[in-house]
Amino acid sequence: VQKPQQSTCSICELVVTFVENYISSNGTISELENSLESLCAIVPAPFNAECDALVEAELPTIIQWVLTNENPQTVCTQISSCTSAKKVEVQKPQQSSCSICELVVNFAENYLQNNGTITGLEKAVEGVCKVLPSSYAAECTAFVDSQLPSLIQWIVANENPQQFCTQAGLCTSAKKVQPVRKPQQSS
């Protein structure tokens, strides 16, 4: 089960990544606000309210930080949504895949914790992919199609998003990791 600070941090990183994509595709502020509203609407309760509050309170600041090419972790640490205990690194291309993976894993965890069904999870996660900017939507859908069964097993085993995404090869770790495998079932 995720700690509240981790959820806040993940939501912030999702919003910042979303803002980065809109800015890089020359979207307008009005379009960005409408898209963020749609994004927050699909985040499961109680995190959807947290997402809305973050956007309302911090969007101008987030945009300014993104315009200076700061990565999501740095931006979210600066606005106190993430702790600085995590080492901040220069953003690498792999970070977008990592962010998408962590978004999907966090969403799936929250969906299931809020009494969502495993059957409904696939459709719900596909909804998340659809609201992402087009440059990430296909990557998100491919991730869901290939990793959802493993992801469900990891959530049932109470593994954290970073560990799953590192095991899936979408996030980096200082340690060498093995390919994604289903966790051991305890008897």
Side-chain angles (χ1 to χ4, degrees):
V1 175
Q2 218 176 158
K3 296 178 183 108
Q5 178 66 31
Q6 285 179 306
S7 297
T8 301
C9 185
S10 296
I11 289 168
C12 180
E13 289 177 346
L14 164 66
V15 168
V16 173
T17 300
F18 203 84
V19 170
E20 284 178 329
N21 292 311
Y22 258 86
I23 289 174
S24 68
S25 66
N26 296 320
T28 67
I29 298 294
S30 177
E31 291 169 339
L32 172 61
E33 289 170 342
N34 290 336
S35 294
L36 283 169
E37 191 174 300
S38 296
L39 175 69
C40 291
I42 64 163
V43 172
F47 305 106
N48 54 350
E50 196 173 317
C51 181
D52 286 331
L54 175 73
V55 169
E56 188 173 319
E58 301 291 351
L59 186 58
T61 305
I62 290 170
I63 291 170
Q64 289 305 311
W65 279 94
V66 167
L67 290 173
T68 62
N69 294 317
E70 293 295 342
N71 66 43
Q73 179 66 36
T74 300
V75 174
C76 294
T77 299
Q78 291 296 328
I79 62 173
S80 302
S81 291
C82 296
T83 62
S84 58
K86 226 171 159 182
K87 185 179 175 192
V88 176
E89 298 176 3
V90 177
Q91 189 166 6
K92 300 177 176 114
Q94 185 184 28
Q95 271 191 307
S96 66
S97 297
C98 181
S99 296
I100 289 168
C101 179
E102 289 180 347
L103 162 67
V104 171
V105 175
N106 280 315
F107 179 87
E109 270 186 344
N110 293 327
Y111 180 86
L112 293 174
Q113 287 172 358
N114 286 300
N115 299 319
T117 64
I118 289 175
T119 310
L121 179 62
E122 185 172 6
K123 188 170 188 151
V125 172
E126 286 171 356
V128 170
C129 295
K130 286 179 184 172
V131 300
L132 291 174
S134 59
S135 58
Y136 291 105
E139 186 177 352
C140 180
T141 300
F143 168 76
V144 170
D145 291 346
S146 67
Q147 298 292 334
L148 194 60
S150 297
L151 170 61
I152 291 167
Q153 290 298 316
W154 278 73
I155 291 170
V156 169
N158 210 23
E159 297 292 342
N160 70 46
Q162 180 66 40
Q163 184 175 2
F164 176 82
C165 296
T166 299
Q167 290 288 331
L170 298 170
C171 296
T172 57
S173 170
K175 293 191 246 173
K176 187 170 175 134
V177 293
Q178 300 299 315
V180 171
R181 61 187 183 283
K182 291 182 181 172
Q184 300 289 326
Q185 295 285 338
S186 54
S187 303

